[in-house]
Amino acid sequence: MAKPIALAFSLCLLVLFQSCLAAHQQFQSSKQNECQLDQLRAREPDNRIETEAGRIESWDYNQDDFQCAGVAVQRITIERNGLHLPSYSQAPQLTYIVQGNGFLSTVFPGCPETFEESEQSDEEQGQQQWQGQQGRHGQQGRGQQEQEEYEQQGRGQRGQQGRGQQGRHRQQGRHSKQGQESFEQLDRHQKVRRIREGDVIAIPAGVTYWSYNDGDQPLVAVNLLDIGNQQNQLDRNPRRFYLAGNPQDEFNQQGQSQSRWGQQGKSQWDQDQQQQRGRSGHQQQQGGRSGHQQQQGNNNNIFAGFNTQLLADALNIDQQTAQQLQGQNDNRPQIVRVKGRLDFVQPAESEQEERQQQGQGRNGFEETFCNFRIKENIGRPSRADIFSPQAGRISTLNSFKLPILRHLDLSAERGFFYNNAIYSPHWNLNAHEVYYVIRGSARVQVVNNNGQAILDNEVRQGQLFIVPQNHAVLHKASNNGFEYIAFKTQDNAKINTLAGRTSVLRALPDVVLANTYQIDRQQARTLKYNRQETVALSSSRSPRSHRNWWDIAEMFV
């Protein structure tokens, strides 16, 4: 009897193993075929969400080039006094600030609130002000102050006289309660960072962040989600989990603009709010239905899926506050307009800049999970790694400069090319590359392993294109220049050039070049040594007087 059972069990295991193996091979085959690309395109955003205080645009991640690179990309615009609600994603993110300035804060799990108000600091400031005044009023003022301090310190003792031991215990209890209430009233939160144009911000998978625009112009950011990263244990569908509001689908692939905030948006919002209040009142009578049941079919925040009563018990709050967390009375999507101004704890901006300057020499070994540096500015001319007065400049950001990128396995590159300048033809050794055009335009060609130009177009401001790993790419700026930000899917991405002083052709012997291309040795030497620049190449057809002397001056600022 035992043998048939063992045999049946073995057959079941064998069938299960074969099924898993077949599924794995099918997945690997489909994954390998994702990068069999015959054509690339420079793309505009496919989806647009209008919100109360901004918009979110996204590219169709189901396109073959996005599937090959394993990425999803958004362009987020936050209007003045707009707040992008707290959220997190299952994939690491890399964000570049294209325009404007504001604030951003990440919430690393288990880390303390290092920004906090302090009653002691307020008292010390008051004492310093009082001491300055007393220095002018002389000894009499000091004696009066000492008497006041004595009376203040002895006030509790005089209140306890004649009341016995029980009275003293009640007084101590009141002091303890007052101290606890005072402690709870002080604001505490994790670090808030000032962000500005040119900043690259690294956000690990599952880490919550929010951002706020306190400037006078829109805050525009391009955000890459590396959904092909090994930290993403879900599928390759980008997801964003919001902690507040009633967010819409940011990656809707219907090719339509989702909007509740156009010319008629405010009136529509008022109607939605009235309907939400009505449903909320009905739910209060029901007593504990989940927010998900209340708003079926909507994309709600994560609190909305919990039972209201269970959520209130878990957070030790009343049921009405729990309903507010679930967004039952709030129909606003991802970006909301702040009433007044956000007021949170932060050091003076000069102190922040001083700390950043002091931290430039860090090598990352002393950084812990809680105090990782998550941003670096690569937009300033003084940060250039490659500079040519005739061609332009390139700034790179990898894990050596920003160690947190080692954990995200991502890097970035910022390019600024003058009119008609050329980015040396090259390929990425170990990464896919996602380009976003910040300003200007350029002619771009991408060549695959069959020697076919799968992209040969002019790319312009606001467009995005992808260069797969090892595909050769060549840029030539137009008459109005070319600026871009490129995200790379490796923390220490490397390139190999085909022209210039460090090119692969220059490293080959003359005789190898001559026999390879059927040219004489003189032609081979001309091919090797005709370009003395490295990566940023000036056009041989444009005069060399097109150098930007202002940028040269900024190099020394």
Side-chain angles (χ1 to χ4, degrees):
M1 184 67 181
K3 289 185 178 180
I5 295 177
L7 180 60
F9 181 72
S10 300
L11 289 175
C12 291
L13 288 179
L14 181 61
V15 172
L16 181 62
F17 175 77
Q18 291 293 338
S19 301
C20 293
L21 182 61
H24 178 73
Q25 290 176 347
Q26 183 179 1
F27 173 77
Q28 291 294 333
S29 177
S30 62
K31 186 175 180 180
Q32 290 174 359
N33 293 330
E34 286 177 351
C35 292
Q36 297 293 331
L37 303 173
D38 297 326
Q39 186 178 7
L40 296 174
R41 289 177 49 197
R43 303 182 184 277
E44 304 280 353
D46 301 284
N47 183 46
R48 179 186 177 102
I49 297 174
E50 292 289 344
T51 69
E52 180 184 10
R55 68 197 62 88
I56 299 177
E57 301 163 286
S58 62
W59 281 261
D60 184 1
Y61 67 92
N62 286 314
Q63 297 292 338
D64 291 340
D65 45 357
F66 283 83
Q67 289 293 310
C68 172
V71 299
V73 184
Q74 297 176 302
R75 182 169 61 204
I76 301 172
T77 302
I78 306 175
E79 301 292 344
R80 181 180 180 183
N81 219 30
L83 172 66
H84 190 194
L85 297 176
S87 67
Y88 61 90
S89 174
Q90 89 274 28
Q93 303 176 66
L94 211 55
T95 300
Y96 180 80
I97 305 301
V98 177
Q99 173 187 297
N101 61 81
F103 290 97
L104 180 141
S105 178
T106 54
V107 181
F108 286 96
C111 297
E113 305 102 332
T114 55
F115 279 35
E116 59 182 354
E117 293 178 338
S118 173
E119 281 187 334
Q120 183 177 2
S121 62
D122 294 338
E123 293 176 359
E124 289 176 352
Q125 292 178 1
Q127 289 179 2
Q128 291 177 359
Q129 294 176 357
W130 176 85
Q131 289 175 1
Q133 294 175 358
Q134 295 305 312
R136 293 190 297 269
H137 290 295
Q139 183 67 30
Q140 182 178 358
R142 287 194 296 272
Q144 182 179 358
Q145 191 271 343
E146 291 173 357
Q147 183 178 357
E148 291 175 355
E149 284 188 352
Y150 175 79
E151 291 176 356
Q152 184 176 3
Q153 294 174 0
R155 192 174 300 158
Q157 296 177 0
R158 290 196 300 270
Q160 295 173 10
Q161 289 178 357
R163 300 177 187 174
Q165 186 68 24
Q166 183 177 2
R168 284 195 297 272
H169 282 301
R170 287 197 301 267
Q171 184 71 14
Q172 291 174 0
R174 284 195 296 269
H175 282 316
S176 176
K177 184 177 181 180
Q178 290 175 358
Q180 182 177 0
E181 291 177 351
S182 176
F183 180 83
E184 292 175 352
Q185 290 174 357
L186 298 177
D187 187 18
R188 292 171 178 80
H189 53 75
Q190 291 194 16
K191 184 175 182 177
V192 178
R193 297 167 172 86
R194 165 66 73 178
I195 56 174
R196 52 177 55 87
E197 180 178 338
D199 280 347
V200 174
I201 304 150
I203 303 174
V207 170
T208 301
Y209 80 98
W210 58 266
S211 53
Y212 170 65
N213 180 8
D214 70 330
D216 296 327
Q217 61 178 333
L219 177 62
V220 182
V222 177
N223 185 49
L224 176 132
L225 290 83
D226 187 13
I227 55 179
N229 195 290
Q230 62 180 358
Q231 295 184 30
N232 175 22
Q233 298 296 301
L234 301 177
D235 52 35
R236 283 197 173 189
N237 294 315
R239 294 175 173 85
R240 192 175 292 280
F241 301 80
Y242 277 89
L243 275 66
N246 280 290
Q248 302 177 47
D249 184 4
E250 298 180 358
F251 297 95
N252 179 20
Q253 301 306 319
Q254 298 176 359
Q256 299 178 355
S257 173
Q258 306 179 53
S259 174
R260 286 183 246 177
W261 304 98
Q263 295 294 329
Q264 301 176 352
K266 291 186 178 180
S267 60
Q268 179 66 37
W269 178 73
D270 292 336
Q271 296 176 7
D272 291 342
Q273 289 290 78
Q274 292 176 1
Q275 295 175 3
Q276 293 291 337
R277 293 190 187 98
R279 286 196 295 267
S280 176
H282 178 70
Q283 179 176 353
Q284 291 180 13
Q285 296 177 0
Q286 297 294 326
R289 279 167 43 188
S290 71
H292 180 70
Q293 293 174 335
Q294 178 220 4
Q295 298 181 13
Q296 291 183 359
N298 289 348
N299 297 295
N300 300 310
N301 68 67
I302 60 175
F303 288 115
F306 294 110
N307 177 273
T308 305
Q309 186 60 51
L310 290 179
L311 181 63
D313 291 343
L315 296 176
N316 194 23
I317 57 177
D318 58 74
Q319 189 167 337
Q320 183 178 2
T321 304
Q323 292 173 348
Q324 291 295 114
L325 265 66
Q326 293 176 323
Q328 297 181 13
N329 300 322
D330 186 359
N331 201 36
R332 299 173 301 171
Q334 291 92 318
I335 305 175
V336 303
R337 193 172 302 280
V338 174
K339 297 179 180 179
R341 305 283 288 183
L342 283 189
D343 184 18
F344 42 78
V345 182
Q346 59 171 322
E349 190 168 344
S350 58
E351 295 180 12
Q352 288 182 333
E353 293 178 353
E354 181 181 356
R355 293 178 183 178
Q356 291 176 0
Q357 293 296 331
Q358 292 175 351
Q360 291 300 320
R362 294 179 178 177
N363 58 16
F365 288 104
E366 73 282 5
E367 294 187 358
T368 63
F369 179 76
C370 290
N371 62 4
F372 263 134
R373 286 191 304 122
I374 67 167
K375 76 180 183 75
E376 184 78 18
N377 192 289
I378 60 174
R380 300 173 186 172
S382 58
R383 302 294 178 88
D385 297 296
I386 298 171
F387 174 70
S388 168
Q390 288 79 31
R393 64 179 186 268
I394 298 174
S395 303
T396 58
L397 182 64
N398 55 29
S399 58
F400 294 109
K401 297 181 180 179
L402 193 62
I404 193 174
L405 295 178
R406 186 178 300 112
H407 301 271
L408 274 62
D409 203 23
L410 292 170
S411 58
E413 176 182 294
R414 174 71 162 87
F416 185 107
F417 284 85
Y418 305 147
N419 52 323
N420 299 316
I422 299 172
Y423 192 160
S424 174
H426 65 279
W427 70 88
N428 287 280
L429 275 68
N430 55 350
H432 302 299
E433 194 166 20
V434 181
Y435 284 88
Y436 175 80
V437 183
I438 298 174
R439 296 179 189 89
S441 59
R443 183 181 179 183
V444 176
Q445 291 185 321
V446 178
V447 180
N448 65 8
N449 60 303
N450 294 322
Q452 299 174 338
I454 57 177
L455 174 63
D456 186 2
N457 286 324
E458 181 181 33
V459 298
R460 59 183 183 274
Q461 179 177 341
Q463 289 187 326
L464 179 147
F465 64 96
I466 294 176
V467 179
Q469 178 186 2
N470 290 156
H471 285 54
V473 57
L474 170 64
H475 311 158
K476 182 174 182 179
S478 63
N479 291 330
N480 56 350
F482 177 52
E483 297 183 50
Y484 67 87
I485 178 68
F487 302 102
K488 303 190 179 188
T489 59
Q490 221 277 340
D491 67 284
N492 189 23
K494 303 177 182 65
I495 67 169
N496 205 340
T497 57
L498 291 166
R501 196 171 66 244
T502 58
S503 70
V504 62
L505 296 180
R506 188 142 179 179
L508 297 176
D510 296 348
V511 291
V512 173
L513 288 175
N515 284 274
T516 299
Y517 299 108
Q518 297 182 353
I519 57 179
D520 59 42
R521 295 192 64 172
Q522 184 58 42
Q523 290 175 312
R525 292 195 174 188
T526 302
L527 178 63
K528 288 178 62 173
Y529 301 112
N530 210 32
R531 279 286 186 185
Q532 298 306 315
E533 301 141 309
T534 54
V535 176
L537 312 177
S538 59
S539 175
S540 58
R541 298 182 181 181
S542 61
R544 294 182 179 270
S545 60
H546 285 297
R547 66 182 65 188
N548 191 326
W549 291 105
W550 176 254
D551 277 340
I552 298 174
E554 287 189 9
M555 292 286 293
F556 300 98
V557 175

